[in-house]
Amino acid sequence: MKFNTDVLHSNQVHARLTGSYKPQAMAHVSPIYQTSTYVLEDFDSAVYLNQHVDEGFVYTRFGSPNADELEKKIAHMEHAEAALALASGLGAISTAVMSVVKAGDNVVIGDVIYGCTYALFTKVLSRLDITCTRVDTSNVKAVEEAIKPNTSLVYVETPANPTLKISDIEEISKVVHLHKDITLIVDSTFASPYLQNALDLGADLVVHSATKYLCGHGTVTAGVIAGNKERIDRCRMPYLQCFGAVIDPFAAWQLMQGMKTLGIRMERHCQNAMKVAKFLEGHPMIDRVYYPGLPSHPTYEIAKKQMHNGFGGMMSADIKGGMDAVRTVMNNVKVFSLATSLGNVDSLIQHSPSMSHFDMTPEERHAASIFDGQVRLSIGIEDADDLIEDLDQALNKIKL
Ligand SMILES: Cc1ncc(COP(=O)(O)O)c(C=O)c1O
């Protein structure tokens, strides 16, 4: 089956629904199991299930039918043995990372990654005596050279937030897997499984903020991890069990609805983004556009090789006139909403240095090409001409 059929029809049965939990009627859309706990059939099966929580439903922090259905869908779309759904993208990232690292380790991370992920490595893991080496992950040699004897994790975000830097997962995987004890985690949020399958390219775990394209409508916060069963089992027990970043059944249910249109949404996001990127590249008030589908993007060639079906709906742009010009644009857009998320059907605009990446120092931001006059655009599925007109009128209000 091709993507759009597959995303609708794969894994539609509740594989773990047994005994008294079998639905009485075969609802076309699964019901929401909005319950925190489950009635267990008798003492012996209660004892067994409490000790084998992946074989049934006991308590929602250990799993729910809605999370289970979503996990099977994600595993299928990411060509993985298993997946785990969590309460947010950061819940997924911190759970996946903690399942790999231990005190005294070193981690190698990209120099451009989402600000709160950066804070996890620099402000939280540093307290556990875990050192962090930042490198330009679009340069495989730099990754290779950064690996130390105590490195246990290489963490790559591609496309990276907010400069859309693309890193070559396949080549990085070859370098990482020369060392048998190093895990490669890829954050594929900006791509979604429609544009990129990181596990096929050699990643050990792939994570997504499902809040973004997987949901598509800006109605939930959620995250997912996919990989082989052994790694996912470890993420679930003890890390999800103990950290408790569990997905709510209603959020999982909403994600199942959102994912049905992932393919057609992504197709339109990509088409619109390409038109907007080309428009911005020719605009007199724009210094530079960061869109991996433009030949001017420094990692365009890797994007062309790695991403299938298109280059995504995200871009950044440096506006002439710095922060004052950014303020003018932000205060004058009418179709774009000033909001710090992405991947929604409607277009959003935000200022990365002061919003998503304020955890980095100005020096770190500038070294990573995150400049004060930079806006990040999440291009929605509106009519592209309206988006272009909106940006044009806002940019034309700038007074230098
Ligand atoms: C690339 C990337 N990964 C992870 C996250 C965190 O996701 P969440 O906000 O769902 O925790 C974000 C949030 O913007 C992101 O952009």
Side-chain angles (χ1 to χ4, degrees):
M1 282 188 283
K2 298 211 171 60
F3 191 94
N4 288 309
T5 317
D6 204 22
V7 78
L8 279 165
H9 294 287
S10 63
N11 315 99
Q12 266 186 325
V13 287
H14 301 292
R16 275 165 60 193
L17 283 181
T18 54
S20 54
Y21 307 118
K22 205 168 260 169
Q24 296 303 303
M26 290 305 287
H28 176 56
V29 173
S30 300
I32 306 168
Y33 290 79
Q34 199 67 36
T35 177
S36 59
T37 195
Y38 290 82
V39 178
L40 301 165
E41 276 178 8
D42 53 39
F43 178 72
D44 290 332
S45 64
V47 170
Y48 181 83
L49 279 179
N50 270 275
Q51 291 168 20
H52 301 82
V53 291
D54 57 337
E55 292 182 32
F57 298 104
V58 174
Y59 184 62
T60 291
R61 179 156 44 79
F62 301 138
S64 66
N66 297 104
D68 183 54
E69 193 180 30
L70 172 64
E71 286 162 358
K72 289 190 165 61
K73 178 76 75 186
I74 295 291
H76 186 74
M77 302 322 293
E78 279 293 15
H79 312 158
E81 269 177 27
L84 186 61
L86 300 99
S88 68
L90 244 303
I93 293 165
S94 55
T95 301
V97 167
M98 291 308 288
S99 77
V100 172
V101 296
K102 62 178 186 332
D105 283 356
N106 167 260
V107 298
V108 174
I109 66 168
D111 57 351
V112 188
I113 58 172
Y114 172 53
C116 295
T117 309
Y118 175 74
L120 168 72
F121 288 110
T122 55
K123 295 186 177 160
V124 180
L125 296 190
S126 58
R127 299 189 63 213
L128 304 177
D129 192 25
I130 294 169
T131 56
C132 169
T133 311
R134 295 175 62 226
V135 289
D136 173 4
T137 49
S138 69
N139 177 352
V140 181
K141 194 100 196 110
V143 176
E144 189 171 16
E145 285 168 7
I147 291 173
K148 298 184 171 132
N150 63 336
T151 300
S152 59
L153 169 67
V154 174
Y155 185 93
V156 175
E157 192 175 289
T158 183
N161 184 356
T163 60
L164 284 298
K165 182 189 280 195
I166 309 294
S167 300
D168 191 328
I169 302 169
E170 197 168 15
E171 292 304 315
I172 292 176
S173 153
K174 285 183 195 157
V175 164
V176 167
H177 293 127
L178 291 175
H179 310 260
K180 77 171 177 26
D181 293 329
I182 306 183
T183 296
L184 174 61
I185 299 183
V186 173
D187 181 336
S188 197
T189 298
F190 273 31
S192 88
Y194 182 72
L195 299 179
Q196 180 172 286
N197 293 111
L199 300 175
D200 290 349
L201 300 170
D204 298 304
L205 289 172
V206 61
V207 292
H208 291 268
S209 166
T211 313
K212 313 293 165 31
Y213 288 108
L214 294 176
C215 172
H217 298 80
T219 54
V220 300
T221 55
V224 296
I225 315 170
N228 74 23
K229 188 169 174 335
E230 191 192 335
R231 287 180 181 278
I232 295 299
D233 283 350
R234 189 157 69 237
C235 288
R236 189 188 297 275
M237 299 291 271
Y239 294 95
L240 174 60
Q241 174 202 24
C242 295
F243 291 148
V246 66
I247 192 166
D248 181 78
F250 184 40
W253 182 89
Q254 288 189 76
L255 274 166
M256 287 299 291
Q257 311 320 312
M259 281 188 65
K260 291 177 183 178
T261 55
L262 179 64
I264 54 170
R265 282 188 284 109
M266 290 310 295
E267 202 177 314
R268 178 68 171 239
H269 284 299
C270 293
Q271 286 165 2
N272 278 0
M274 186 61 93
K275 288 183 189 162
V276 171
K278 285 184 176 160
F279 159 76
L280 288 177
E281 204 168 40
H283 199 284
M285 296 314 295
I286 298 292
D287 269 336
R288 182 171 166 193
V289 179
Y290 304 75
Y291 184 62
L294 293 178
S296 59
H297 193 276
T299 54
Y300 167 71
E301 291 300 330
I302 312 174
K304 224 167 49 165
K305 178 184 95 155
Q306 180 159 280
M307 298 175 75
H308 37 80
N309 298 323
F311 300 96
M314 294 302 300
M315 71 187 68
S316 287
D318 292 335
I319 303 180
K320 284 197 177 111
M323 289 276 260
D324 287 341
V326 166
R327 185 173 295 109
T328 302
V329 171
M330 296 266 183
N331 289 343
N332 282 286
V333 282
K334 294 182 170 61
V335 180
F336 282 79
S337 299
L338 200 179
T340 182
S341 190
L342 60 108
N344 290 359
V345 282
D346 49 328
S347 294
L348 307 176
I349 186 168
Q350 70 124 30
H351 181 236
S352 306
S354 64
M355 299 176 189
S356 56
H357 290 71
F358 82 97
D359 271 305
M360 294 167 84
T361 65
E363 295 73 32
E364 286 167 342
R365 281 199 297 268
H366 293 164
S369 298
I370 305 169
F371 301 115
D372 292 351
Q374 194 174 93
V375 293
R376 192 190 72 192
L377 302 169
S378 171
I379 304 298
I381 64 168
E382 300 94 338
D383 293 298
D385 289 349
D386 291 327
L387 299 177
I388 289 172
E389 206 174 293
D390 192 36
L391 291 171
D392 194 36
Q393 62 79 24
L395 285 166
N396 291 338
K397 292 203 167 66
I398 297 171
K399 295 199 181 12
L400 290 180

